[in-house]
Amino acid sequence: MLVSNHARPTLEDVAARAGVSRATASRVLNASPRVSPEALEAVNAAVLALGYQPNRAARALVTRRTGAVAVLFSEPEPKIFDDPHFARLIRAGARALADVDVQMVLMLVHSPDDQARAHRFLAGGHVDGALMFAPHRNDELVSIVKKLPLPVVYAGKPWGSLRGMHLVDNDNEGGAVVATKHLKALGRKKIVHVSGPLDEMSAIDRLNGFKSALSLDDKGAAKLTEDGGFTREGGRKAMSVLLAKHPNLDAVFVASDLMAAGALETLHEAGKRVPQDVAVVGFDDHVAIAEHTTPPLTSVRQDSDEQVKHMVEHLMKLLRDETVKKKQQMLPTVLVRRESA
Amino acid sequence: MLVSNHARPTLEDVAARAGVSRATASRVLNASPRVSPEALEAVNAAVLALGYQPNRAARALVTRRTGAVAVLFSEPEPKIFDDPHFARLIRAGARALADVDVQMVLMLVHSPDDQARAHRFLAGGHVDGALMFAPHRNDELVSIVKKLPLPVVYAGKPWGSLRGMHLVDNDNEGGAVVATKHLKALGRKKIVHVSGPLDEMSAIDRLNGFKSALSLDDKGAAKLTEDGGFTREGGRKAMSVLLAKHPNLDAVFVASDLMAAGALETLHEAGKRVPQDVAVVGFDDHVAIAEHTTPPLTSVRQDSDEQVKHMVEHLMKLLRDETVKKKQQMLPTVLVRRESA
DNA sequence: CTCGGCGACTCAAAGGTTTTCATCGAGGAG
DNA sequence: CTCCTCGATGAAAACCTTTGAGTCGCCGAG
């Protein structure tokens, strides 16, 4: 028996060494029950001795499974990726997918070109499923992907009909209600809101929470709300607009920590003390921000790590053809009190 | 001829439709010269009509190429990933790899467990090559990967011998020299340095630039330098230490923008005006930071996008077995003047 | 007219795994 | 003792592509 000693061992080699057939060796590797204890042990020993690693391509060829999933970030404004939130999501995805031993193929989709490429790639069967981060309204990529026979789990609610879609969302509305009520409970009388861009569902949900906590109608809410675009700069500007409109405001619920950081700057410049004159609550509880503002920011925590972990678990179930009890999961949010409110 | 109308078309189908053999169709797809114009056209038409996409697994099986490369971030401190620099690198990698149509498999390596997993994965032949971001001293992963018969391109100099390694570095030392000389040219007399952690080559190179621009020996430099650990908080602290040691300092070269942001805070709190009392130069020119500090930060630009692009190009050459003229490339850095110096 | 050469093409093997189907043997029931 | 059942195993097909070896037809030279 001559074995080329430099090439990687194949299943054949393992089988030979264990004194069984390829088929049996394969069964051992795939944890099939129909295999005797002796065979199992022999094969395992051979695998170890040879340092055998299954050939992914060969396996993929026959199983029609790639062992890879795509992670898609659809975002027309590439600069948004300077947002630390993005890094956190990627990190969580990498970890969660590595834990279940599937390859993560990352795709950043900005332009129509990128969309076409993603389309080709996903349709080409190069991955078994996808995790989709596509927060914006009327995202072409969502429509494209919907038509594909590919299991997809969304982060948060994409725009449009949610029928049959699998997603894991944070309780944005609930968190916003808690945040707003907290301000009310503090005895604040004039509470305003810096919202995110209203082409994102999460921003809308947070706005809705604000409205419902204060029992406002659309018109009433519109007066008290200003769009800060989920950027720090936007938060600054929105805050000054609100200050101009409502000089007597004494509390503000800001729909993201990044914007809240901007809003705090504006408030300081306007000579308002936080929290004495104006109480501030953010959203995200992004530690790198919330703990380092002055004063430290009270914020609604949404656990992105947890969200991504759930997304991966959900997708894995879909890939195993298990029935999922709930297609759409909602993760709780909780208010973290610091000093700003 | 009955074709299951839901299954993905194979090369066989394409060949049949084009009236040629599988072999010829394959040659068309791989741009082989040995094919007649008619055949070429017929096959291309068939491909288009059928929406054919080559089966990656089958191709990988026979070519022993996966069409994927790993992107490894080795970093014992997971929190560092909140650094926007990380997001930028990932983004650049995703884009550059997508452009050459290879899959990016992202791996974040924090723990020894992760290292073992990465080792298995890379040794398992699941990728054709790797891009490695491993800035720290004595990184186990670097030693592991060195022993593998796998083409790897490093970002910056890893610790240890550089013999035979392929890498793309920024001119950290040169940039530091320019930055420091700029401060000198401004007439500053007492110039200090907030360095990065000295277990990273980039930090050392920047420190060396500072030393050489001021013709300092090790001892002299040690007095004027404080380690800020490449974090904002570290920058704050380092700055106050330096202020205490050298109350008369009138300029500081900070080895990263994030630390510079921290240093600026300290300076403001100490009542120093920037740039009148103390001139500040950062490093990275990370727009999201440098443009938003008060005052906007003068900084040394290193173009990470460019660096990653070069890394990918370099790796592609290695994969194509082309000879690379220079194994180790150095990218220029340039001083971007804003208001802080 | 024959032969050699050459370009375009086809045939078929190879690549490593999973999985169906058949086989084999042992043990239990009748 | 025979027949049946059932669990473990093996042989072989299938997955889809690339590629080296071989075929075919045509042209030009002799």
Side-chain angles (χ1 to χ4, degrees):
Chain A
M1 158 177 51
L2 62 162
V3 177
S4 116
N5 52 353
H6 208 59
R8 286 179 50 202
T10 78
L11 191 54
E12 187 80 52
D13 301 333
V14 172
R17 192 172 220 273
V20 300
S21 75
R22 225 171 36 228
T24 303
S26 171
R27 281 189 262 267
V28 171
L29 288 178
N30 296 302
S32 155
R34 308 220 148 297
V35 47
S36 69
E38 309 80 86
L40 188 141
E41 178 155 2
V43 171
N44 279 335
V47 164
L48 219 58
L50 265 41
Y52 168 76
Q53 290 240 31
N55 181 315
R56 212 156 181 142
R59 178 177 277 177
L61 185 56
V62 51
T63 59
R64 283 106 175 287
R65 280 296 178 86
T66 64
V69 323
V71 176
L72 299 164
F73 285 85
S74 184
E75 174 59 64
E77 294 281 349
K79 72 178 155 53
I80 201 87
F81 287 126
D82 289 334
D83 189 331
H85 191 57
F86 159 71
R88 204 155 114 175
L89 292 172
I90 292 209
R91 188 168 83 214
R95 174 146 304 272
L97 287 172
D99 280 346
V100 292
D101 215 48
V102 333
Q103 286 188 28
M104 158 170 175
V105 180
L106 182 65
M107 306 195 75
L108 273 26
V109 182
H110 305 316
S111 63
D113 266 11
D114 292 343
Q115 282 177 357
R117 170 149 48 205
H119 180 32
R120 272 203 314 279
F121 185 79
L122 297 174
H126 302 309
V127 289
D128 301 332
L131 262 32
M132 174 86 106
F133 297 80
H136 293 286
R137 182 180 194 160
N138 295 337
D139 189 328
E140 187 71 23
L141 188 60
V142 173
S143 333
I144 290 174
V145 167
K146 256 191 203 166
K147 296 193 196 110
L148 259 32
L150 189 81
V152 178
V153 176
Y154 291 79
K157 302 180 213 141
W159 210 271
S161 159
L162 265 35
R163 278 187 57 80
M165 306 190 80
H166 296 265
L167 61 88
V168 180
D169 196 8
N170 295 302
D171 186 5
N172 289 300
E173 181 160 351
V177 168
V178 171
T180 310
K181 287 204 169 150
H182 173 66
L183 292 170
K184 251 170 89 176
L186 254 33
R188 304 295 166 146
K189 299 300 176 209
K190 190 78 180 181
I191 309 178
V192 300
H193 177 49
V194 176
S195 78
L198 298 180
D199 75 331
E200 297 195 25
M201 268 300 176
S202 62
I204 293 187
D205 285 346
R206 291 171 199 180
L207 171 58
N208 282 338
F210 173 74
K211 276 159 67 173
S212 100
L214 297 182
S215 314
L216 294 166
D217 58 10
D218 285 354
K219 232 164 143 184
K223 280 200 195 114
L224 297 171
T225 300
E226 191 68 29
D227 183 345
F230 275 157
T231 69
R232 186 188 202 109
E233 196 52 32
R236 290 181 83 110
K237 287 191 186 141
M239 193 69 243
S240 26
V241 171
L242 288 168
L243 270 178
K245 268 203 219 168
H246 309 285
N248 59 332
L249 66 86
D250 57 3
V252 52
F253 165 49
V254 189
S256 87
D257 285 357
L258 201 59
M259 292 194 296
L264 284 173
E265 289 167 8
T266 300
L267 288 169
H268 291 150
E269 284 162 17
K272 301 284 190 183
R273 293 168 306 160
V274 176
Q276 297 90 331
D277 302 332
V278 179
V280 179
V281 177
F283 206 112
D284 283 348
D285 191 44
H286 198 288
V287 185
I289 301 174
E291 287 184 353
H292 292 87
T293 52
T294 43
L297 192 65
T298 293
S299 183
V300 178
R301 165 170 301 166
Q302 55 168 336
D303 191 334
S304 306
D305 287 16
E306 205 57 31
Q307 183 187 14
V308 173
K309 215 179 287 174
H310 276 82
M311 288 173 67
V312 169
E313 266 169 31
H314 197 115
L315 184 58
M316 289 304 120
K317 278 188 191 145
L318 293 181
L319 294 185
R320 284 191 303 259
D321 273 326
E322 288 176 25
T323 50
V324 288
K325 62 247 146 233
K326 293 194 58 173
K327 291 192 168 186
Q328 314 193 342
Q329 298 179 61
M330 175 96 91
L331 265 31
T333 46
V334 25
L335 188 72
V336 177
R337 287 206 60 183
R338 295 202 183 79
E339 298 171 29
S340 69
Chain B
M1 159 175 52
L2 64 162
V3 176
S4 117
N5 51 352
H6 208 60
R8 285 179 50 202
T10 80
L11 190 54
E12 187 79 53
D13 300 335
V14 172
R17 193 173 221 271
V20 300
S21 76
R22 221 169 41 228
T24 302
S26 172
R27 280 188 254 275
V28 170
L29 289 179
N30 296 300
S32 156
R34 308 222 147 295
V35 47
S36 68
E38 310 78 89
L40 189 141
E41 177 153 3
V43 170
N44 279 335
V47 165
L48 220 58
L50 265 42
Y52 169 76
Q53 290 241 29
N55 180 316
R56 212 155 182 144
R59 177 177 279 177
L61 185 57
V62 48
T63 59
R64 280 106 178 287
R65 281 295 180 83
T66 64
V69 323
V71 177
L72 299 164
F73 285 85
S74 185
E75 174 59 65
E77 294 281 352
K79 71 177 155 55
I80 200 87
F81 287 127
D82 288 334
D83 189 331
H85 191 56
F86 158 72
R88 203 154 116 174
L89 291 171
I90 292 210
R91 189 168 82 213
R95 174 145 305 270
L97 287 172
D99 279 345
V100 292
D101 215 47
V102 334
Q103 286 187 26
M104 158 170 176
V105 179
L106 183 65
M107 306 196 75
L108 272 26
V109 182
H110 305 315
S111 63
D113 266 11
D114 291 344
Q115 281 178 357
R117 169 151 47 204
H119 180 31
R120 272 203 315 279
F121 185 80
L122 296 174
H126 302 309
V127 289
D128 300 331
L131 260 32
M132 174 86 106
F133 297 80
H136 293 286
R137 182 179 195 162
N138 295 337
D139 189 328
E140 187 71 23
L141 188 60
V142 173
S143 333
I144 291 174
V145 167
K146 256 191 202 166
K147 296 192 197 110
L148 259 32
L150 189 80
V152 179
V153 176
Y154 291 79
K157 302 179 211 143
W159 211 272
S161 160
L162 265 33
R163 278 186 57 80
M165 307 190 80
H166 297 265
L167 61 86
V168 179
D169 197 8
N170 295 302
D171 186 5
N172 288 300
E173 181 160 352
V177 168
V178 171
T180 310
K181 288 205 169 149
H182 172 67
L183 292 170
K184 252 170 87 176
L186 253 32
R188 304 296 165 144
K189 300 298 177 211
K190 191 77 180 180
I191 309 178
V192 300
H193 177 49
V194 176
S195 78
L198 297 180
D199 75 330
E200 296 195 26
M201 268 301 177
S202 63
I204 293 187
D205 285 346
R206 290 172 200 178
L207 170 58
N208 282 338
F210 173 74
K211 276 159 68 172
S212 100
L214 297 182
S215 313
L216 294 167
D217 57 10
D218 285 354
K219 235 165 139 184
K223 280 197 197 120
L224 296 172
T225 300
E226 191 67 28
D227 183 345
F230 276 158
T231 68
R232 185 187 202 110
E233 195 53 31
R236 290 182 83 110
K237 287 190 187 141
M239 193 68 243
S240 26
V241 172
L242 287 169
L243 270 178
K245 269 203 218 168
H246 309 284
N248 60 333
L249 66 85
D250 57 3
V252 54
F253 165 50
V254 189
S256 87
D257 284 357
L258 201 58
M259 292 194 297
L264 283 174
E265 289 167 8
T266 300
L267 289 170
H268 290 150
E269 284 162 17
K272 302 284 191 181
R273 292 168 307 160
V274 177
Q276 297 89 330
D277 302 331
V278 179
V280 179
V281 177
F283 206 110
D284 284 347
D285 190 44
H286 198 289
V287 184
I289 302 175
E291 287 184 354
H292 293 87
T293 52
T294 42
L297 192 64
T298 293
S299 183
V300 178
R301 165 170 301 165
Q302 55 169 335
D303 192 334
S304 306
D305 287 14
E306 204 57 31
Q307 183 187 14
V308 173
K309 215 180 287 177
H310 276 81
M311 289 172 68
V312 169
E313 265 170 32
H314 198 117
L315 184 58
M316 289 304 120
K317 277 187 190 147
L318 293 180
L319 294 185
R320 285 190 304 258
D321 273 326
E322 289 177 24
T323 51
V324 289
K325 60 246 149 236
K326 294 193 59 175
K327 290 192 169 187
Q328 313 192 343
Q329 297 179 61
M330 174 96 90
L331 266 30
T333 46
V334 25
L335 188 72
V336 177
R337 288 207 60 182
R338 294 201 183 78
E339 299 170 27
S340 70

